[in-house]
Amino acid sequence: MTVRDEQEARETGTRLRMRKTRTTLADGRELIYFDDSEPYVSGGATRELVDSRPLPPAVSQSQMRFDVLTGEWVVIAAQRMDRTFLPPPDASPLAPSMPGKAPTEIPADDYDVVVFENRFPSLATGAAEQDLPDCVDGEALWPLAPGAGRCEVVCFTSNPDAAFSTLSVDRVRTVVDVWADRTADLSALPGVRQVFCFENRGKEIGVTLTHPHGQIYAYPYLPPRTDALIRRSREHFESTGRLLLADVLDAETRSGRRVVLAAEHWTAYVPAASRWPLEVHLAPHRDVRDLTELSDDERDELAHVYLELLRRVDRFFDGVDAVPYIAAWHQAPVGEDRPLGRLHLQLFSMMRSPGRMKYLAGSESGMGAWVNDTTPERIADRLREVAS
C-alpha cells in the first residue's frame, strides 16, 4: 500500500489550512483524507490508513451507448442495481470505523472531510480495460464505448446527524478547497471532458445514504445540459463577442427583481426562466471557469454565502425543516470548449409545497417540455423574506 501525505499550499498567515493524505482501500480504490483540525492538519497525527476488510478487487463493467434519437450518450451501469439502500444509522458505510463494529468505507474512527472512489460507480477508470466492440450487435447505428471516467463520494463530516447547512463556516471553506482540489485532479485524467460536483439531499429525490455527503463525477463526454449550454454560449459569443453566462448575470443585476443576495464577489438570483418550484443560481462576479480559479477572498466569501442560501432553502416552506434539494456546481468543460463556460451553482428543489413534490410526468419526461408551477418572481420574494 502506498501512502502519500501532502500539504495544501494555501495557508492563512502561519496556519496551514488543510492537510491532504492519500491511501488505498482494500479493493484498490483511492481514499483521501482532508484534515482541517489539529493534530492532523499540522502532521502531528495521521488518520488510520489500513482498510482491514476482505474486499475483492474493484471491477467496473460500465459502458456507454449512444442514443441516435437524441444524440446523447446513456451510461449503462448494471453493477449499481445492488448498491446500498438506506441502511440503519449504525450501519452507514460513510460513518467512521468504530471499535467493536463492522468496518466502513472509511478506516479512521473520526475524520474531517473524506473523498473516496465510489464502490458502485456509474463511471470508473477501470472500465477502460473492458474488451468491448465499437457498436451494439454489430450495428453501426448504435456506437458503444467503455464507461471510463471517475465517480467520487465526498463526506462533509463524520457526524451522521449533521447537514451541510449546519456545518461551520471553516468546514464549508474546507469543502470548497476539496472541490477545487478534486476538480484539478480529475480534469487531468485522460479523456475527461467535465467535472461535476453536486449534493443530493432528501429521500424524496432518491438519496440512498442519509449521512451528509456529496458526489463528484468526471464525465468522458459533455452531459446534455452542458452540451446545450456550450452551443448556446458559442452562438451568443459569435453574435455579440461576449460570454453568455456573464451577460445573464449582468442582466439579472440590472433588473434586480430576482436578485436574492448580493455580496462583494458573489450574487444569487432566481433565473428568469426557472424550471423548478424552488430554484436559485449563485455566480461569481469575475469570469471564473471552474472552482480551481477562485481566489482566496472568493472562496472565503463563498463559504458564508453558500451557507446562507442553504439555510434560506430550509426556511422556504413553513413546517418543513429539511427541504430536499440538489446543489449542482456547473463548471467549464475540459479542452477547447473551456473558454465558453463559466462557474455557477444551480440550487433547486422539486418540492412545490409542504409534503408535495413536483413530479416529472408526461410533458417533462415524455417531451422535455417544462412547466413550472410558480413564478420566478414569487420564488425570489420568498427567498428574500426568509433571509437570516
Side-chain angles (χ1 to χ4, degrees), residues 31-50:
L31 179 143
I32 311 172
Y33 294 102
F34 292 91
D35 282 303
D36 59 15
S37 65
E38 294 293 356
Y40 302 99
V41 67
S42 63
T46 301
R47 302 289 185 182
E48 177 58 56
L49 304 174
V50 178

Side-chain angles (χ1 to χ4, degrees), residues 27-29 56-64 75-80 117-132 145-151 218 220:
D27 56 4
R29 290 175 294 128
V59 176
S60 174
Q61 296 181 327
S62 294
Q63 56 180 248
M64 303 188 309
V75 176
I76 309 295
Q79 70 271 9
R80 289 176 54 80
E117 289 184 79
N118 199 320
R119 190 174 178 182
F120 303 98
S122 301
L123 303 161
T125 53
E129 300 172 3
Q130 299 176 86
D131 184 18
L132 293 177
R150 180 145 155 159
C151 294

Side-chain angles (χ1 to χ4, degrees), residues 203-384:
K203 298 176 184 178
E204 296 90 341
I205 62 170
V207 169
T208 58
L209 296 173
T210 57
H211 192 105
H213 72 286
Q215 299 181 66
I216 304 176
Y217 275 28
Y219 295 101
Y221 60 94
L222 289 189
R225 182 178 177 90
T226 302
D227 185 61
L229 175 59
I230 292 301
R231 282 189 282 106
R232 295 290 298 155
S233 186
R234 181 177 292 107
E235 293 168 2
H236 185 79
F237 184 81
E238 290 174 350
S239 63
T240 68
R242 297 190 302 271
L243 191 61
L244 175 60
L245 283 167
D247 277 3
V248 167
L249 176 60
D250 289 345
E252 290 288 1
T253 301
R254 284 194 301 271
S255 164
R257 179 63 182 88
R258 289 169 299 277
V259 172
V260 299
L261 186 156
E264 181 180 356
H265 303 290
W266 297 86
T267 290
Y269 60 89
V270 177
S274 59
R275 300 184 176 204
W276 297 98
L278 168 51
E279 181 173 2
V280 60
H281 291 194
L282 177 64
H285 296 167
R286 286 196 306 126
D287 288 341
V288 174
R289 306 305 174 196
D290 60 25
L291 290 155
T292 70
E293 294 186 358
L294 292 175
S295 68
D296 277 343
D297 288 344
E298 288 166 334
R299 296 184 191 203
D300 289 342
E301 186 175 88
L302 175 58
H304 291 272
V305 171
Y306 190 36
L307 274 178
E308 170 64 12
L309 285 180
L310 291 178
R311 290 166 180 171
R312 291 192 196 187
V313 166
D314 275 344
R315 293 191 290 265
F316 194 87
F317 296 108
D318 290 333
V320 180
D321 296 327
V323 173
Y325 66 74
I326 294 174
W329 283 99
H330 296 275
Q331 307 195 81
V334 177
E336 62 182 7
D337 293 324
R338 181 176 174 83
L340 295 170
R342 196 179 193 275
L343 175 69
H344 66 287
L345 168 73
Q346 180 192 20
L347 175 61
F348 62 97
S349 175
M350 47 292 298
M351 181 171 280
R352 57 186 177 89
S353 63
R356 297 179 180 178
M357 306 298 290
K358 174 180 176 61
Y359 294 105
L360 304 187
S363 185
E364 288 91 354
S365 294
M367 294 300 292
W370 215 269
V371 179
N372 198 345
D373 302 317
T374 187
T375 68
E377 290 72 26
R378 289 177 62 187
I379 298 171
D381 288 344
R382 180 58 177 165
L383 285 172
R384 286 191 291 263

